[in-house]
Amino acid sequence: MPILTWGRQYNRQWLARDLLAAVIVTVMLIPQSLAYALLAGLPPETGLYASILPLLAYACFGTSRTLAVGPVAVVSLMTASAAGAVASQGSIGYLTAVVALALLSGVFLLLMGILRLGMLANFLSHPVVSGFVSASALIIILSQLSHLLGIRATGHTLTEMTAALLASRSDIHLPTLLLGSASLLLLWWMRRGLKARLLRLGLSPDSAALAAKSGPLLVITMAIVLSYGFDWQALGIAVVGSIPSGLPLLALPGFEPALWRDLAASALLISIIGFVESIAMARTLAAKRRQRVDADQELIGLGAANLASSVSGGFPVTGGFSRSVVNNEAGAETPAAGAFTAVGIGLATLYLTSLLSYLPVATLAATIVVAVASLIDLKVLRQSWRYSRSDLYAALVTMALTLLMGVEVGVLTGLGLSLMLFLHRTSRPHMAVVGQVEGTEHFRNCRRHKVILDEKVISLRVDESLYFANAGFLQDRINSLLATSASITDLVLMCSAVNDIDLSALETLEEINHQLQEAGVRFHLSELKGPVMDKLQRSCFLDKLSGRVFLTQYEAFTTLAQGIAAHPLPVLSK
């Protein structure tokens, strides 16, 4: 429990900073928790419930000093999609499914943490994640248009929601449209222009930034006051309605094998996406403070937070981007800031719910739209176009399938494409015939540099670890090199970039050694790393090796070279 580490050093200075950060984050989290509950198709109080115990659990088990855990947009959308597949929104079955999702997500995250699978975050490439998040943000914005227009329109994909919106366009409620548009404009201005105005009035940059980030609470407060004073509900404007006051009741979700089986895959996807989003944010903030975040412990921290959410009637949670940035900028020193935020949300649940009942749904939808609009990242597409077309195509496919077939298909496609890109890149590693740079002990690609080669010795450098997916490619490359010259007597495999050799690759090396031996060519290795050499020594490969293992490539070349040529051999390397 990381709390036992930083808790021993806790002092008054940290307390003051954590309390200040908690007040500011609480101001942000109240409207966000209500909004994301709406996005998840849940009663607004569930957003408050998901912002109390989960924060306390993460404060005990998480390693990030500034990560703010709670409901977030993408996970809320995935929750709505998964629960909506097994029950209709508003039903008891839907609420049961949501709580079960939180429990299953917590269990999956805990298991991944215990098994030390934090490295899974590295298998989702940034372009794919960015494409999925951008497409999800577009779906979220479309899903809120019905609330901004005062109409009924449902769906989980771009085509479904567009068709539903077009079919209901004649039912647009003008007062709701005006309120929604005004809320959008005001929120957008506060996000874009309020900070500059406050700076001109003499506020410090930090104070102006924090005030601008508190804009949603100000807009929501104004909307509640006006809604109550002018009885907007009588005009047909939908409001949040009655919100039960009081803290959530603690209860374990009922075990329903069929329901849990239906939700297991969705819960796993929610866990992975939530973890990737959270660990990326936690690492970024930790790097700014020269702190360390343990990915495996973060899995346990997020798992505990989701289990706490499930027993308190909440829904899946993870680290939030905007709240974490504000928490960091407000000076939070420890995860205790999250615990103090939980206390603030608890007080709001006890004493403010009667006021929140007058909140117009259109204003709440506007806060969601403005919040998720910043998640749309088209810059990564431009970067991928210039740098890596394969990453661009992966991002575009992920975006398209998320928009057209739903978030679960999109995230599964993203996972698959990330793994396929990894396998494609590592299954065809860069290999180069190398020669000695004259007057040095360095060896470089003969296609890029003027180097010294020997007509009887081939030195091949492989720039990747050897495993089952690329072992055959290495064998084909060596065979093609041997076909270029009948005078080759020695082949040296330069292993300076090889960090591991798995069993499949070892068997391939044994086969290569046997083939070369039959062809009258000795097989040598050079620059093997210690851990790789240790593994080879536990096998019988080195006993059967027809050549030697050289400490350096220079030693191998000077020992084996006979007729030295000053120019590269023709067509030896791509």
Side-chain angles (χ1 to χ4, degrees):
M1 295 179 67
I3 189 175
L4 299 179
T5 301
W6 58 262
R8 294 191 184 98
Q9 306 166 353
Y10 207 71
N11 54 52
R12 289 185 177 181
Q13 186 178 18
W14 285 6
L15 174 63
R17 293 178 180 177
D18 285 344
L19 283 173
L20 175 61
V23 170
I24 295 169
V25 173
T26 301
V27 166
M28 283 189 67
L29 185 52
I30 290 174
Q32 284 188 353
S33 62
L34 297 172
Y36 294 143
L38 174 71
L39 179 59
L42 296 165
E45 64 268 18
T46 57
L48 297 172
Y49 297 163
S51 305
I52 301 176
L53 277 189
L55 278 68
L56 295 174
Y58 182 81
C60 294
F61 294 97
T63 59
S64 173
R65 296 292 183 100
T66 53
L67 188 70
V69 171
V72 299
V74 173
V75 170
S76 298
L77 177 65
M78 296 179 71
T79 299
S81 176
V86 298
S88 58
Q89 285 192 10
S91 66
I92 297 296
Y94 188 87
L95 294 174
T96 302
V98 167
V99 173
L101 274 173
L103 178 66
L104 288 170
S105 297
V107 170
F108 283 132
L109 287 164
L110 281 176
L111 287 175
M112 288 190 287
I114 292 169
L115 296 174
R116 305 186 65 81
L117 298 179
M119 49 77 180
L120 286 175
N122 301 325
F123 283 92
L124 269 172
S125 69
H126 174 64
V128 165
V129 172
S130 181
F132 169 73
V133 171
S134 296
S136 298
L138 289 172
I139 290 177
I140 291 170
I141 291 172
L142 276 175
S143 72
Q144 298 309 301
L145 287 182
S146 60
H147 300 298
L148 293 171
L149 300 174
I151 60 178
R152 292 184 61 84
T154 59
H156 298 292
T157 65
L158 175 67
T159 52
E160 289 177 359
M161 286 186 287
T162 302
L165 289 170
L166 291 175
S168 303
R169 62 185 183 277
S170 59
D171 299 328
I172 292 175
H173 188 244
L174 186 58
T176 301
L177 173 60
L178 293 174
L179 173 61
S181 301
S183 300
L184 275 175
L185 290 173
L186 188 55
L187 286 164
W188 191 262
W189 176 79
M190 286 184 168
R191 179 178 283 261
R192 297 293 181 181
L194 181 59
K195 180 180 177 181
R197 179 64 61 88
L198 294 175
L199 288 173
R200 286 196 294 269
L201 292 175
L203 263 70
S204 67
D206 290 342
S207 299
L210 292 174
K213 287 182 171 67
S214 302
L217 183 67
L218 178 60
V219 173
I220 282 178
T221 303
M222 291 170 54
I224 290 174
V225 171
L226 293 173
S227 175
Y228 175 78
F230 293 97
D231 194 13
W232 281 352
Q233 195 170 3
L235 298 176
I237 296 176
V239 297
V240 168
S242 178
I243 301 176
S245 62
L247 297 175
L249 299 175
L250 303 184
L252 286 173
F255 178 66
E256 300 180 26
L259 177 65
W260 286 27
R261 184 179 61 250
D262 293 340
L263 295 175
S266 299
L268 180 59
L269 294 178
I270 289 172
S271 303
I272 293 173
I273 290 298
F275 172 62
V276 169
E277 186 176 347
S278 179
I279 194 66
M281 189 70 246
R283 283 173 171 169
T284 300
L285 295 177
K288 291 181 179 179
R289 296 187 173 201
R290 298 187 179 183
Q291 295 171 348
R292 178 179 175 272
V293 172
D294 185 336
D296 297 319
Q297 184 64 36
E298 282 299 290
L299 283 166
I300 293 175
L302 292 174
N306 278 278
L307 288 179
S309 185
S310 70
V311 300
S312 57
F315 54 99
V317 297
T318 191
F321 177 80
S322 59
R323 292 193 304 273
S324 299
V325 171
V326 171
N327 199 36
N328 180 70
E329 292 176 352
E333 290 287 348
T334 71
F340 297 144
T341 300
V343 174
I345 298 296
L347 293 173
T349 306
L350 286 170
Y351 302 112
L352 296 181
T353 53
S354 58
L355 296 176
L356 293 173
S357 63
Y358 293 97
L359 173 61
V361 174
T363 301
L364 204 53
T367 65
I368 296 176
V369 170
V370 174
V372 303
S374 61
L375 298 178
I376 301 175
D377 181 16
L378 300 181
K379 181 175 66 175
V380 71
L381 299 180
R382 294 195 297 271
Q383 291 175 336
S384 300
W385 173 261
R386 293 193 298 266
Y387 188 77
S388 173
R389 296 294 172 86
S390 59
D391 282 326
L392 172 66
Y393 300 145
L396 289 175
V397 170
T398 302
M399 286 184 69
L401 290 180
T402 302
L403 289 170
L404 298 176
M405 301 187 70
V407 290
E408 289 197 2
V409 173
V411 71
L412 281 172
T413 302
L415 280 167
L417 287 174
S418 294
L419 291 173
M420 286 175 61
L421 285 174
F422 171 76
L423 289 173
H424 175 73
R425 288 165 181 159
T426 58
S427 65
R428 300 178 63 84
H430 178 262
M431 298 183 191
V433 171
V434 297
Q436 182 185 5
V437 178
E438 190 171 5
T440 73
E441 295 184 6
H442 298 293
F443 286 77
R444 293 292 184 268
N445 188 342
C446 69
R447 285 285 186 175
R448 295 178 179 270
H449 304 271
K450 185 176 181 180
V451 293
I452 299 172
L453 298 171
D454 185 275
E455 60 183 10
K456 294 186 177 181
V457 179
I458 294 291
S459 298
L460 178 67
R461 188 189 71 216
V462 56
D463 296 331
E464 184 62 69
S465 294
L466 298 176
Y467 73 117
F468 64 91
N470 61 22
F473 185 71
L474 170 65
Q475 189 171 12
D476 292 340
R477 185 81 174 98
I478 289 176
N479 289 337
S480 65
L481 286 174
L482 293 178
T484 62
S485 174
S487 60
I488 298 173
T489 60
D490 295 272
L491 188 144
V492 183
L493 187 64
M494 184 176 174
C495 301
S496 55
V498 176
N499 297 315
D500 188 36
I501 299 175
D502 75 356
L503 186 60
S504 299
L506 176 62
E507 292 174 352
T508 301
L509 290 178
E510 291 173 344
E511 190 176 341
I512 290 171
N513 180 59
H514 179 69
Q515 290 177 347
L516 292 177
Q517 209 167 6
E518 288 189 340
V521 178
R522 291 178 296 179
F523 186 33
H524 310 272
L525 304 176
S526 74
E527 303 197 4
L528 277 171
K529 294 184 177 180
V532 179
M533 186 65 176
D534 292 341
K535 289 182 71 174
L536 292 180
Q537 287 175 336
R538 293 198 294 269
S539 71
C540 58
F541 171 71
L542 296 179
D543 298 328
K544 298 178 181 179
L545 187 66
S546 60
R548 291 175 51 188
V549 177
F550 293 96
L551 182 64
T552 66
Q553 180 60 31
Y554 178 74
E555 179 190 5
F557 188 71
T558 53
T559 301
L560 301 172
Q562 296 176 11
I564 293 180
H567 301 286
L569 295 174
V571 197
L572 284 181
S573 175
K574 279 180 94 172

